[in-house]
Amino acid sequence: MANISFLLVLVIVPFVLIGMSSAQLTSNFYNSSCPNILSIIKTAVNSAIAKESRMGASLLRLHFHDCFVNGEKTANPNSGSLRGFNVIDTIKTQVESSCAGIVSCADILAVAAKDSVVKLGGPSWTVLLGRRDSTTASLSTANSDIPAPTLNLSALISSFSNKGFNAREMVALSGSHTIGQARCTTFRDRLYNETDINASFVTSVKSNCPQSGSDNNISPLDTTSPNTFDNIYYKNLRIQKGLLHSDQQLFSGGSTDSIVNTYSSNSATFFADFAKAMVKMGNLSPLTGTNGQIRKNCRKTN
């Protein structure tokens, strides 16, 4: 993104610790002011995923990082790995042509995430709308609050609890890793130093992630069906094929093993829990009313 300001752009929904707020978010917020918004976003998302199926996971991740923390694009969990800004730019341009100055980038991200999951075979949910965009960013908060791939189970539970999520919701949201890719640098240590990992799985992944170098080589988080939103991610955890350390921690003899077992055997339960958790995540203390702004360009404040 050569033309991007280093001041974040992905900060559209700031978050207050443990604060949950329904504010003025409603499912029909744009019914009169911008009635075509949902169809515009859906068409653009479907087109982007048709060109590159990985984009669905990228758009979902943008929404997660946007809701979870008021953070900078250059923060450690974001730098070099966040993708999909060009798709959001395209959608924003189309939305502005239809109804200028009405729809926030935060709402575009929220709807695009849902449409991405649906396009890849996952559940749908009603996205509540009416968010406004932030005018500030915090590098330190992004570095500290977004869960790292190196976290153990207790740290994962604590990280999500700090945002108001229980352990079951944390495991459900982790199921987003049924799609998408991870960089070698995020799972190299697990490949070469951990023992709770399937031997044949290690061999297959090591070929693309040597002990040194090739940091940006990518591997699917779910090697079985990386472009389908399903419950295979949990089935893989049960046979020690979690790519990230934090993935495998969900099934490691701890308190969340039973939840993984439930989701691995019942995709309908996983889908229902995931959808509920996504609605909850989208409602993390959004800016509404006269707070914040409606960005003209999602990459920078007005």
Side-chain angles (χ1 to χ4, degrees), residues 174-209:
S174 297
S176 61
H177 285 181
T178 186
I179 54 176
Q181 312 264 345
R183 294 186 298 155
C184 172
T185 185
T186 64
F187 58 82
R188 176 184 285 118
D189 189 63
R190 171 159 165 74
L191 288 183
Y192 292 94
N193 297 309
E194 297 184 11
T195 57
D196 60 338
I197 187 167
N198 182 282
S200 61
F201 176 67
V202 169
T203 299
S204 65
V205 180
K206 275 184 176 179
S207 63
N208 197 40
C209 186

PDB file of all heavy atoms in Angstrom, residues 174-209:
ATOM      1  N   SER A 174     -12.681 -18.327  17.258  1.00  0.00           N
ATOM      2  CA  SER A 174     -11.441 -18.908  16.734  1.00  0.00           C
ATOM      3  C   SER A 174     -11.716 -19.763  15.505  1.00  0.00           C
ATOM      4  O   SER A 174     -10.824 -20.003  14.683  1.00  0.00           O
ATOM      5  CB  SER A 174     -10.756 -19.760  17.809  1.00  0.00           C
ATOM      6  OG  SER A 174     -10.364 -18.970  18.911  1.00  0.00           O
ATOM      7  N   GLY A 175     -12.959 -20.215  15.375  1.00  0.00           N
ATOM      8  CA  GLY A 175     -13.339 -21.008  14.211  1.00  0.00           C
ATOM      9  C   GLY A 175     -13.239 -20.247  12.909  1.00  0.00           C
ATOM     10  O   GLY A 175     -13.324 -20.842  11.830  1.00  0.00           O
ATOM     11  N   SER A 176     -13.040 -18.935  12.971  1.00  0.00           N
ATOM     12  CA  SER A 176     -12.794 -18.168  11.751  1.00  0.00           C
ATOM     13  C   SER A 176     -11.525 -18.662  11.056  1.00  0.00           C
ATOM     14  O   SER A 176     -11.326 -18.406   9.868  1.00  0.00           O
ATOM     15  CB  SER A 176     -12.676 -16.672  12.061  1.00  0.00           C
ATOM     16  OG  SER A 176     -11.593 -16.419  12.939  1.00  0.00           O
ATOM     17  N   HIS A 177     -10.687 -19.377  11.802  1.00  0.00           N
ATOM     18  CA  HIS A 177      -9.465 -19.928  11.212  1.00  0.00           C
ATOM     19  C   HIS A 177      -9.745 -21.146  10.342  1.00  0.00           C
ATOM     20  O   HIS A 177      -8.815 -21.802   9.874  1.00  0.00           O
ATOM     21  CB  HIS A 177      -8.454 -20.289  12.312  1.00  0.00           C
ATOM     22  CG  HIS A 177      -7.792 -19.091  12.911  1.00  0.00           C
ATOM     23  ND1 HIS A 177      -6.832 -19.168  13.898  1.00  0.00           N
ATOM     24  CD2 HIS A 177      -7.954 -17.769  12.660  1.00  0.00           C
ATOM     25  CE1 HIS A 177      -6.439 -17.957  14.229  1.00  0.00           C
ATOM     26  NE2 HIS A 177      -7.107 -17.086  13.498  1.00  0.00           N
ATOM     27  N   THR A 178     -10.998 -21.445  10.119  1.00  0.00           N
ATOM     28  CA  THR A 178     -11.340 -22.487   9.156  1.00  0.00           C
ATOM     29  C   THR A 178     -11.109 -21.991   7.730  1.00  0.00           C
ATOM     30  O   THR A 178     -11.156 -22.757   6.778  1.00  0.00           O
ATOM     31  CB  THR A 178     -12.807 -22.941   9.326  1.00  0.00           C
ATOM     32  OG1 THR A 178     -13.051 -24.060   8.471  1.00  0.00           O
ATOM     33  CG2 THR A 178     -13.779 -21.833   8.968  1.00  0.00           C
ATOM     34  N   ILE A 179     -10.896 -20.677   7.581  1.00  0.00           N
ATOM     35  CA  ILE A 179     -10.534 -20.096   6.285  1.00  0.00           C
ATOM     36  C   ILE A 179      -9.282 -19.251   6.475  1.00  0.00           C
ATOM     37  O   ILE A 179      -8.933 -18.872   7.580  1.00  0.00           O
ATOM     38  CB  ILE A 179     -11.664 -19.221   5.693  1.00  0.00           C
ATOM     39  CG1 ILE A 179     -12.111 -18.147   6.691  1.00  0.00           C
ATOM     40  CG2 ILE A 179     -12.849 -20.092   5.276  1.00  0.00           C
ATOM     41  CD1 ILE A 179     -13.166 -17.183   6.160  1.00  0.00           C
ATOM     42  N   GLY A 180      -8.607 -18.987   5.394  1.00  0.00           N
ATOM     43  CA  GLY A 180      -7.468 -18.077   5.445  1.00  0.00           C
ATOM     44  C   GLY A 180      -6.113 -18.746   5.580  1.00  0.00           C
ATOM     45  O   GLY A 180      -5.997 -19.971   5.657  1.00  0.00           O
ATOM     46  N   GLN A 181      -5.085 -17.916   5.617  1.00  0.00           N
ATOM     47  CA  GLN A 181      -3.700 -18.354   5.614  1.00  0.00           C
ATOM     48  C   GLN A 181      -2.933 -17.652   6.730  1.00  0.00           C
ATOM     49  O   GLN A 181      -3.346 -16.592   7.204  1.00  0.00           O
ATOM     50  CB  GLN A 181      -3.039 -18.002   4.274  1.00  0.00           C
ATOM     51  CG  GLN A 181      -3.840 -18.384   3.042  1.00  0.00           C
ATOM     52  CD  GLN A 181      -3.431 -19.714   2.468  1.00  0.00           C
ATOM     53  OE1 GLN A 181      -2.380 -20.249   2.793  1.00  0.00           O
ATOM     54  NE2 GLN A 181      -4.263 -20.256   1.594  1.00  0.00           N
ATOM     55  N   ALA A 182      -1.823 -18.249   7.124  1.00  0.00           N
ATOM     56  CA  ALA A 182      -0.948 -17.630   8.121  1.00  0.00           C
ATOM     57  C   ALA A 182       0.477 -17.596   7.578  1.00  0.00           C
ATOM     58  O   ALA A 182       0.875 -18.454   6.784  1.00  0.00           O
ATOM     59  CB  ALA A 182      -0.992 -18.403   9.431  1.00  0.00           C
ATOM     60  N   ARG A 183       1.231 -16.600   8.012  1.00  0.00           N
ATOM     61  CA  ARG A 183       2.619 -16.481   7.566  1.00  0.00           C
ATOM     62  C   ARG A 183       3.526 -17.402   8.373  1.00  0.00           C
ATOM     63  O   ARG A 183       3.314 -17.627   9.564  1.00  0.00           O
ATOM     64  CB  ARG A 183       3.097 -15.036   7.709  1.00  0.00           C
ATOM     65  CG  ARG A 183       2.385 -14.054   6.795  1.00  0.00           C
ATOM     66  CD  ARG A 183       3.014 -12.674   6.893  1.00  0.00           C
ATOM     67  NE  ARG A 183       2.909 -12.136   8.239  1.00  0.00           N
ATOM     68  CZ  ARG A 183       3.733 -11.215   8.745  1.00  0.00           C
ATOM     69  NH1 ARG A 183       4.744 -10.766   8.026  1.00  0.00           N
ATOM     70  NH2 ARG A 183       3.566 -10.770   9.965  1.00  0.00           N
ATOM     71  N   CYS A 184       4.550 -17.895   7.723  1.00  0.00           N
ATOM     72  CA  CYS A 184       5.519 -18.810   8.332  1.00  0.00           C
ATOM     73  C   CYS A 184       6.035 -18.293   9.665  1.00  0.00           C
ATOM     74  O   CYS A 184       6.189 -19.060  10.628  1.00  0.00           O
ATOM     75  CB  CYS A 184       6.669 -19.042   7.355  1.00  0.00           C
ATOM     76  SG  CYS A 184       8.085 -19.953   8.011  1.00  0.00           S
ATOM     77  N   THR A 185       6.271 -17.010   9.745  1.00  0.00           N
ATOM     78  CA  THR A 185       6.833 -16.442  10.969  1.00  0.00           C
ATOM     79  C   THR A 185       5.928 -16.624  12.183  1.00  0.00           C
ATOM     80  O   THR A 185       6.394 -16.616  13.316  1.00  0.00           O
ATOM     81  CB  THR A 185       7.141 -14.937  10.766  1.00  0.00           C
ATOM     82  OG1 THR A 185       7.780 -14.427  11.920  1.00  0.00           O
ATOM     83  CG2 THR A 185       5.868 -14.142  10.515  1.00  0.00           C
ATOM     84  N   THR A 186       4.617 -16.841  11.943  1.00  0.00           N
ATOM     85  CA  THR A 186       3.682 -16.983  13.064  1.00  0.00           C
ATOM     86  C   THR A 186       3.571 -18.411  13.579  1.00  0.00           C
ATOM     87  O   THR A 186       3.041 -18.630  14.673  1.00  0.00           O
ATOM     88  CB  THR A 186       2.270 -16.504  12.669  1.00  0.00           C
ATOM     89  OG1 THR A 186       1.760 -17.347  11.618  1.00  0.00           O
ATOM     90  CG2 THR A 186       2.285 -15.064  12.209  1.00  0.00           C
ATOM     91  N   PHE A 187       4.052 -19.389  12.801  1.00  0.00           N
ATOM     92  CA  PHE A 187       3.932 -20.783  13.249  1.00  0.00           C
ATOM     93  C   PHE A 187       5.231 -21.575  13.172  1.00  0.00           C
ATOM     94  O   PHE A 187       5.267 -22.763  13.468  1.00  0.00           O
ATOM     95  CB  PHE A 187       2.831 -21.522  12.467  1.00  0.00           C
ATOM     96  CG  PHE A 187       3.018 -21.538  10.964  1.00  0.00           C
ATOM     97  CD1 PHE A 187       3.851 -22.466  10.353  1.00  0.00           C
ATOM     98  CD2 PHE A 187       2.334 -20.633  10.170  1.00  0.00           C
ATOM     99  CE1 PHE A 187       4.010 -22.490   8.969  1.00  0.00           C
ATOM    100  CE2 PHE A 187       2.478 -20.645   8.779  1.00  0.00           C
ATOM    101  CZ  PHE A 187       3.318 -21.583   8.183  1.00  0.00           C
ATOM    102  N   ARG A 188       6.343 -20.917  12.804  1.00  0.00           N
ATOM    103  CA  ARG A 188       7.630 -21.622  12.695  1.00  0.00           C
ATOM    104  C   ARG A 188       8.029 -22.284  14.008  1.00  0.00           C
ATOM    105  O   ARG A 188       8.453 -23.453  14.032  1.00  0.00           O
ATOM    106  CB  ARG A 188       8.723 -20.650  12.260  1.00  0.00           C
ATOM    107  CG  ARG A 188      10.115 -21.302  12.228  1.00  0.00           C
ATOM    108  CD  ARG A 188      11.201 -20.318  11.881  1.00  0.00           C
ATOM    109  NE  ARG A 188      11.195 -19.986  10.466  1.00  0.00           N
ATOM    110  CZ  ARG A 188      10.985 -18.760   9.994  1.00  0.00           C
ATOM    111  NH1 ARG A 188      10.768 -17.754  10.832  1.00  0.00           N
ATOM    112  NH2 ARG A 188      11.000 -18.525   8.693  1.00  0.00           N
ATOM    113  N   ASP A 189       7.902 -21.573  15.111  1.00  0.00           N
ATOM    114  CA  ASP A 189       8.309 -22.121  16.405  1.00  0.00           C
ATOM    115  C   ASP A 189       7.522 -23.378  16.754  1.00  0.00           C
ATOM    116  O   ASP A 189       8.068 -24.332  17.294  1.00  0.00           O
ATOM    117  CB  ASP A 189       8.131 -21.071  17.507  1.00  0.00           C
ATOM    118  CG  ASP A 189       8.736 -21.517  18.820  1.00  0.00           C
ATOM    119  OD1 ASP A 189       9.963 -21.711  18.874  1.00  0.00           O
ATOM    120  OD2 ASP A 189       7.982 -21.689  19.798  1.00  0.00           O
ATOM    121  N   ARG A 190       6.238 -23.374  16.409  1.00  0.00           N
ATOM    122  CA  ARG A 190       5.430 -24.564  16.677  1.00  0.00           C
ATOM    123  C   ARG A 190       5.916 -25.759  15.851  1.00  0.00           C
ATOM    124  O   ARG A 190       6.020 -26.878  16.362  1.00  0.00           O
ATOM    125  CB  ARG A 190       3.960 -24.268  16.377  1.00  0.00           C
ATOM    126  CG  ARG A 190       3.063 -25.509  16.407  1.00  0.00           C
ATOM    127  CD  ARG A 190       1.605 -25.141  16.628  1.00  0.00           C
ATOM    128  NE  ARG A 190       0.715 -26.257  16.322  1.00  0.00           N
ATOM    129  CZ  ARG A 190       0.566 -27.335  17.106  1.00  0.00           C
ATOM    130  NH1 ARG A 190       1.254 -27.440  18.231  1.00  0.00           N
ATOM    131  NH2 ARG A 190      -0.259 -28.305  16.764  1.00  0.00           N
ATOM    132  N   LEU A 191       6.238 -25.525  14.596  1.00  0.00           N
ATOM    133  CA  LEU A 191       6.679 -26.612  13.723  1.00  0.00           C
ATOM    134  C   LEU A 191       7.946 -27.280  14.227  1.00  0.00           C
ATOM    135  O   LEU A 191       8.083 -28.511  14.189  1.00  0.00           O
ATOM    136  CB  LEU A 191       6.938 -26.090  12.304  1.00  0.00           C
ATOM    137  CG  LEU A 191       5.758 -25.695  11.426  1.00  0.00           C
ATOM    138  CD1 LEU A 191       6.266 -25.298  10.056  1.00  0.00           C
ATOM    139  CD2 LEU A 191       4.748 -26.831  11.318  1.00  0.00           C
ATOM    140  N   TYR A 192       8.891 -26.468  14.696  1.00  0.00           N
ATOM    141  CA  TYR A 192      10.222 -26.994  14.995  1.00  0.00           C
ATOM    142  C   TYR A 192      10.476 -27.248  16.478  1.00  0.00           C
ATOM    143  O   TYR A 192      11.469 -27.893  16.824  1.00  0.00           O
ATOM    144  CB  TYR A 192      11.280 -26.030  14.430  1.00  0.00           C
ATOM    145  CG  TYR A 192      11.294 -26.022  12.920  1.00  0.00           C
ATOM    146  CD1 TYR A 192      10.554 -25.077  12.210  1.00  0.00           C
ATOM    147  CD2 TYR A 192      12.002 -26.976  12.196  1.00  0.00           C
ATOM    148  CE1 TYR A 192      10.538 -25.073  10.818  1.00  0.00           C
ATOM    149  CE2 TYR A 192      11.986 -26.979  10.805  1.00  0.00           C
ATOM    150  CZ  TYR A 192      11.254 -26.034  10.118  1.00  0.00           C
ATOM    151  OH  TYR A 192      11.239 -26.051   8.749  1.00  0.00           O
ATOM    152  N   ASN A 193       9.580 -26.770  17.351  1.00  0.00           N
ATOM    153  CA  ASN A 193       9.862 -26.903  18.780  1.00  0.00           C
ATOM    154  C   ASN A 193       8.758 -27.533  19.617  1.00  0.00           C
ATOM    155  O   ASN A 193       8.985 -27.837  20.789  1.00  0.00           O
ATOM    156  CB  ASN A 193      10.196 -25.527  19.369  1.00  0.00           C
ATOM    157  CG  ASN A 193      11.454 -24.932  18.762  1.00  0.00           C
ATOM    158  OD1 ASN A 193      12.489 -25.595  18.709  1.00  0.00           O
ATOM    159  ND2 ASN A 193      11.365 -23.697  18.297  1.00  0.00           N
ATOM    160  N   GLU A 194       7.574 -27.730  19.043  1.00  0.00           N
ATOM    161  CA  GLU A 194       6.481 -28.286  19.839  1.00  0.00           C
ATOM    162  C   GLU A 194       6.244 -29.756  19.492  1.00  0.00           C
ATOM    163  O   GLU A 194       6.534 -30.205  18.384  1.00  0.00           O
ATOM    164  CB  GLU A 194       5.205 -27.459  19.637  1.00  0.00           C
ATOM    165  CG  GLU A 194       5.391 -26.021  20.125  1.00  0.00           C
ATOM    166  CD  GLU A 194       4.114 -25.203  20.026  1.00  0.00           C
ATOM    167  OE1 GLU A 194       3.031 -25.771  19.787  1.00  0.00           O
ATOM    168  OE2 GLU A 194       4.208 -23.970  20.198  1.00  0.00           O
ATOM    169  N   THR A 195       5.716 -30.472  20.452  1.00  0.00           N
ATOM    170  CA  THR A 195       5.518 -31.923  20.280  1.00  0.00           C
ATOM    171  C   THR A 195       4.066 -32.333  20.096  1.00  0.00           C
ATOM    172  O   THR A 195       3.792 -33.434  19.608  1.00  0.00           O
ATOM    173  CB  THR A 195       6.090 -32.682  21.497  1.00  0.00           C
ATOM    174  OG1 THR A 195       5.462 -32.203  22.690  1.00  0.00           O
ATOM    175  CG2 THR A 195       7.594 -32.474  21.596  1.00  0.00           C
ATOM    176  N   ASP A 196       3.137 -31.471  20.487  1.00  0.00           N
ATOM    177  CA  ASP A 196       1.724 -31.824  20.345  1.00  0.00           C
ATOM    178  C   ASP A 196       1.223 -31.467  18.952  1.00  0.00           C
ATOM    179  O   ASP A 196       0.272 -30.706  18.769  1.00  0.00           O
ATOM    180  CB  ASP A 196       0.884 -31.126  21.412  1.00  0.00           C
ATOM    181  CG  ASP A 196       0.973 -29.598  21.326  1.00  0.00           C
ATOM    182  OD1 ASP A 196       1.975 -29.095  20.750  1.00  0.00           O
ATOM    183  OD2 ASP A 196       0.044 -28.932  21.820  1.00  0.00           O
ATOM    184  N   ILE A 197       1.897 -32.037  17.951  1.00  0.00           N
ATOM    185  CA  ILE A 197       1.570 -31.711  16.566  1.00  0.00           C
ATOM    186  C   ILE A 197       1.743 -32.957  15.707  1.00  0.00           C
ATOM    187  O   ILE A 197       2.709 -33.724  15.876  1.00  0.00           O
ATOM    188  CB  ILE A 197       2.461 -30.547  16.061  1.00  0.00           C
ATOM    189  CG1 ILE A 197       2.032 -30.078  14.677  1.00  0.00           C
ATOM    190  CG2 ILE A 197       3.932 -30.898  16.099  1.00  0.00           C
ATOM    191  CD1 ILE A 197       2.652 -28.735  14.265  1.00  0.00           C
ATOM    192  N   ASN A 198       0.803 -33.199  14.825  1.00  0.00           N
ATOM    193  CA  ASN A 198       0.780 -34.379  13.966  1.00  0.00           C
ATOM    194  C   ASN A 198       2.036 -34.443  13.093  1.00  0.00           C
ATOM    195  O   ASN A 198       2.387 -33.477  12.428  1.00  0.00           O
ATOM    196  CB  ASN A 198      -0.484 -34.307  13.092  1.00  0.00           C
ATOM    197  CG  ASN A 198      -0.650 -35.503  12.199  1.00  0.00           C
ATOM    198  OD1 ASN A 198       0.009 -35.611  11.177  1.00  0.00           O
ATOM    199  ND2 ASN A 198      -1.563 -36.391  12.566  1.00  0.00           N
ATOM    200  N   ALA A 199       2.699 -35.588  13.114  1.00  0.00           N
ATOM    201  CA  ALA A 199       3.998 -35.730  12.432  1.00  0.00           C
ATOM    202  C   ALA A 199       3.898 -35.513  10.923  1.00  0.00           C
ATOM    203  O   ALA A 199       4.732 -34.812  10.331  1.00  0.00           O
ATOM    204  CB  ALA A 199       4.589 -37.107  12.718  1.00  0.00           C
ATOM    205  N   SER A 200       2.906 -36.098  10.294  1.00  0.00           N
ATOM    206  CA  SER A 200       2.774 -35.935   8.838  1.00  0.00           C
ATOM    207  C   SER A 200       2.400 -34.496   8.488  1.00  0.00           C
ATOM    208  O   SER A 200       2.833 -33.961   7.462  1.00  0.00           O
ATOM    209  CB  SER A 200       1.720 -36.896   8.285  1.00  0.00           C
ATOM    210  OG  SER A 200       0.441 -36.643   8.857  1.00  0.00           O
ATOM    211  N   PHE A 201       1.636 -33.878   9.367  1.00  0.00           N
ATOM    212  CA  PHE A 201       1.255 -32.472   9.182  1.00  0.00           C
ATOM    213  C   PHE A 201       2.503 -31.596   9.239  1.00  0.00           C
ATOM    214  O   PHE A 201       2.701 -30.711   8.403  1.00  0.00           O
ATOM    215  CB  PHE A 201       0.260 -32.076  10.274  1.00  0.00           C
ATOM    216  CG  PHE A 201      -0.152 -30.630  10.252  1.00  0.00           C
ATOM    217  CD1 PHE A 201      -0.911 -30.120   9.208  1.00  0.00           C
ATOM    218  CD2 PHE A 201       0.200 -29.775  11.295  1.00  0.00           C
ATOM    219  CE1 PHE A 201      -1.308 -28.787   9.197  1.00  0.00           C
ATOM    220  CE2 PHE A 201      -0.197 -28.450  11.294  1.00  0.00           C
ATOM    221  CZ  PHE A 201      -0.945 -27.953  10.235  1.00  0.00           C
ATOM    222  N   VAL A 202       3.376 -31.853  10.214  1.00  0.00           N
ATOM    223  CA  VAL A 202       4.628 -31.099  10.344  1.00  0.00           C
ATOM    224  C   VAL A 202       5.451 -31.207   9.073  1.00  0.00           C
ATOM    225  O   VAL A 202       5.932 -30.209   8.531  1.00  0.00           O
ATOM    226  CB  VAL A 202       5.453 -31.602  11.546  1.00  0.00           C
ATOM    227  CG1 VAL A 202       6.853 -31.000  11.501  1.00  0.00           C
ATOM    228  CG2 VAL A 202       4.777 -31.239  12.851  1.00  0.00           C
ATOM    229  N   THR A 203       5.597 -32.429   8.580  1.00  0.00           N
ATOM    230  CA  THR A 203       6.401 -32.660   7.378  1.00  0.00           C
ATOM    231  C   THR A 203       5.871 -31.875   6.185  1.00  0.00           C
ATOM    232  O   THR A 203       6.634 -31.245   5.443  1.00  0.00           O
ATOM    233  CB  THR A 203       6.422 -34.158   7.030  1.00  0.00           C
ATOM    234  OG1 THR A 203       7.002 -34.877   8.119  1.00  0.00           O
ATOM    235  CG2 THR A 203       7.240 -34.409   5.773  1.00  0.00           C
ATOM    236  N   SER A 204       4.553 -31.895   6.017  1.00  0.00           N
ATOM    237  CA  SER A 204       3.963 -31.219   4.862  1.00  0.00           C
ATOM    238  C   SER A 204       4.112 -29.701   4.952  1.00  0.00           C
ATOM    239  O   SER A 204       4.317 -29.030   3.937  1.00  0.00           O
ATOM    240  CB  SER A 204       2.482 -31.592   4.739  1.00  0.00           C
ATOM    241  OG  SER A 204       1.737 -31.105   5.845  1.00  0.00           O
ATOM    242  N   VAL A 205       4.022 -29.152   6.159  1.00  0.00           N
ATOM    243  CA  VAL A 205       4.087 -27.699   6.312  1.00  0.00           C
ATOM    244  C   VAL A 205       5.525 -27.196   6.316  1.00  0.00           C
ATOM    245  O   VAL A 205       5.814 -26.093   5.843  1.00  0.00           O
ATOM    246  CB  VAL A 205       3.361 -27.257   7.599  1.00  0.00           C
ATOM    247  CG1 VAL A 205       3.437 -25.746   7.766  1.00  0.00           C
ATOM    248  CG2 VAL A 205       1.893 -27.686   7.567  1.00  0.00           C
ATOM    249  N   LYS A 206       6.448 -27.996   6.836  1.00  0.00           N
ATOM    250  CA  LYS A 206       7.845 -27.572   6.886  1.00  0.00           C
ATOM    251  C   LYS A 206       8.408 -27.261   5.502  1.00  0.00           C
ATOM    252  O   LYS A 206       9.292 -26.410   5.369  1.00  0.00           O
ATOM    253  CB  LYS A 206       8.711 -28.664   7.540  1.00  0.00           C
ATOM    254  CG  LYS A 206       8.747 -28.614   9.054  1.00  0.00           C
ATOM    255  CD  LYS A 206       9.704 -29.668   9.595  1.00  0.00           C
ATOM    256  CE  LYS A 206       9.834 -29.569  11.111  1.00  0.00           C
ATOM    257  NZ  LYS A 206      10.759 -30.603  11.660  1.00  0.00           N
ATOM    258  N   SER A 207       7.891 -27.934   4.484  1.00  0.00           N
ATOM    259  CA  SER A 207       8.412 -27.713   3.136  1.00  0.00           C
ATOM    260  C   SER A 207       8.222 -26.280   2.681  1.00  0.00           C
ATOM    261  O   SER A 207       8.945 -25.786   1.805  1.00  0.00           O
ATOM    262  CB  SER A 207       7.718 -28.656   2.145  1.00  0.00           C
ATOM    263  OG  SER A 207       6.325 -28.378   2.090  1.00  0.00           O
ATOM    264  N   ASN A 208       7.264 -25.593   3.290  1.00  0.00           N
ATOM    265  CA  ASN A 208       6.986 -24.217   2.915  1.00  0.00           C
ATOM    266  C   ASN A 208       7.423 -23.228   3.990  1.00  0.00           C
ATOM    267  O   ASN A 208       7.253 -22.021   3.838  1.00  0.00           O
ATOM    268  CB  ASN A 208       5.478 -24.047   2.659  1.00  0.00           C
ATOM    269  CG  ASN A 208       5.156 -22.781   1.891  1.00  0.00           C
ATOM    270  OD1 ASN A 208       5.867 -22.404   0.972  1.00  0.00           O
ATOM    271  ND2 ASN A 208       4.066 -22.119   2.280  1.00  0.00           N
ATOM    272  N   CYS A 209       8.000 -23.753   5.073  1.00  0.00           N
ATOM    273  CA  CYS A 209       8.400 -22.883   6.181  1.00  0.00           C
ATOM    274  C   CYS A 209       9.697 -23.409   6.792  1.00  0.00           C
ATOM    275  O   CYS A 209       9.691 -24.121   7.804  1.00  0.00           O
ATOM    276  CB  CYS A 209       7.289 -22.841   7.236  1.00  0.00           C
ATOM    277  SG  CYS A 209       7.593 -21.667   8.591  1.00  0.00           S
TER     278      CYS A 209
END
